[in-house]
């Protein structure tokens, strides 16, 4: 279940969707053809149904856990969580949370074995979008994961400690 929101749709879908599984799109009718083309271009051709976003109104949708940068600092200070930075390597090198592990969101599905299941995970990216996708993927695989609202930008803006490579 994906909703094409922006130009990252084919990248995220290509990274997170198993091409052997059926896909149901939730998309505005005017974007349906483009969404299907985007999926086919990344090797996903099993679109079996679609629905307009309004069809989800009133359904009990799962919401991921999320914390502010301030609350994330308390999590980091306790040291009991695995800190997952899903930004690109260059973003990570320019500045990151001390002790964070960097796995780009586009590589996450093939690197699940590198992420511990025996501790909670604090996940972040630059502004919160990529980590929201990553958080949802990890939840589907049984991880206890929390997304940091506002991402690394919010962390830095709050004056939190930064590390560099």
């Amino acid at each position: 279940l994906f909703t094409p929101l922006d130009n990252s749709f084919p990248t995220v879908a290509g990274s997170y969707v198993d091409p052997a599984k059926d896909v149901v799109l939730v998309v505005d009718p005017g974007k349906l053809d483009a969404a299907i083309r985007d999926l086919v271009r990344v090797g996903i051709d099993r679109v079996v149904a679609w629905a307009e976003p309004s069809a989800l109104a009133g359904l009990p949708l799962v919401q991921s856990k999320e914390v502010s940068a301030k609350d994330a600092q308390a999590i980091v200070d306790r040291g009991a969580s695995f800190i997952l930075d899903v930004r690109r390597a260059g973003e990570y090198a320019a500045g990151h949370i001390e002790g964070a592990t960097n796995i780009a969101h586009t590589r996450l599905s093939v690197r699940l074995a590198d992420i511990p299941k025996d501790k909670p995970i604090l996940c972040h990216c630059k502004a919160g979008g990529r980590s929201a996708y990553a958080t949802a993927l990890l939840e589907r695989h049984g991880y206890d994961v929390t997304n940091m609202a506002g991402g690394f930008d919010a962390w830095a803006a709050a004056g939190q400690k930064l590390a560099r490579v």
Side-chain angles (χ1 to χ4, degrees), residues 83-137:
I83 312 303
L84 178 61
D85 185 329
V86 296
R87 297 176 299 155
R88 293 181 306 275
E91 293 173 288
Y92 177 84
H96 57 273
I97 297 172
E98 183 85 34
T101 297
N102 180 230
I103 302 174
H105 80 288
T106 55
R107 304 287 180 244
L108 194 55
S109 63
V110 296
R111 302 242 346 245
L112 291 175
D114 296 334
I115 302 168
K117 277 200 161 179
D118 63 345
K119 59 171 60 176
I121 298 164
L122 176 64
C123 185
H124 75 89
C125 63
K126 180 179 178 353
R130 291 174 284 178
S131 59
Y133 294 134
T135 296
L137 173 76

Side-chain angles (χ1 to χ4, degrees), residues 4-161:
L5 299 173
D6 56 33
N7 293 335
S8 69
F9 173 67
T11 301
V12 172
S15 299
Y16 289 17
V17 175
D18 180 346
K21 296 202 177 199
D22 292 342
V23 174
V24 176
L25 286 173
V26 178
V27 60
D28 290 320
K31 295 181 179 179
L32 178 62
D33 289 341
I36 291 172
R37 272 194 307 277
D38 284 346
L39 291 176
V40 169
R41 286 182 181 135
V42 295
I44 300 167
D45 59 5
R46 294 184 58 161
V47 177
V48 298
W50 74 279
E52 293 186 42
S54 62
L56 300 179
L59 293 177
L61 300 176
V62 174
Q63 293 213 5
S64 298
K65 293 184 288 186
E66 192 168 76
V67 296
S68 68
K70 180 181 177 185
D71 291 338
Q73 180 64 60
I75 292 170
V76 171
D77 288 345
R78 283 195 301 271
S81 293
F82 182 81
I83 312 303
L84 178 61
D85 185 329
V86 296
R87 297 176 299 155
R88 293 181 306 275
E91 293 173 288
Y92 177 84
H96 57 273
I97 297 172
E98 183 85 34
T101 297
N102 180 230
I103 302 174
H105 80 288
T106 55
R107 304 287 180 244
L108 194 55
S109 63
V110 296
R111 302 242 346 245
L112 291 175
D114 296 334
I115 302 168
K117 277 200 161 179
D118 63 345
K119 59 171 60 176
I121 298 164
L122 176 64
C123 185
H124 75 89
C125 63
K126 180 179 178 353
R130 291 174 284 178
S131 59
Y133 294 134
T135 296
L137 173 76
L138 292 169
E139 287 173 333
R140 284 193 304 277
H141 286 276
Y143 291 87
D144 176 11
V145 58
T146 301
N147 185 39
M148 184 170 66
F152 191 74
D153 287 350
W155 178 270
Q160 309 291 28
K161 184 177 172 184

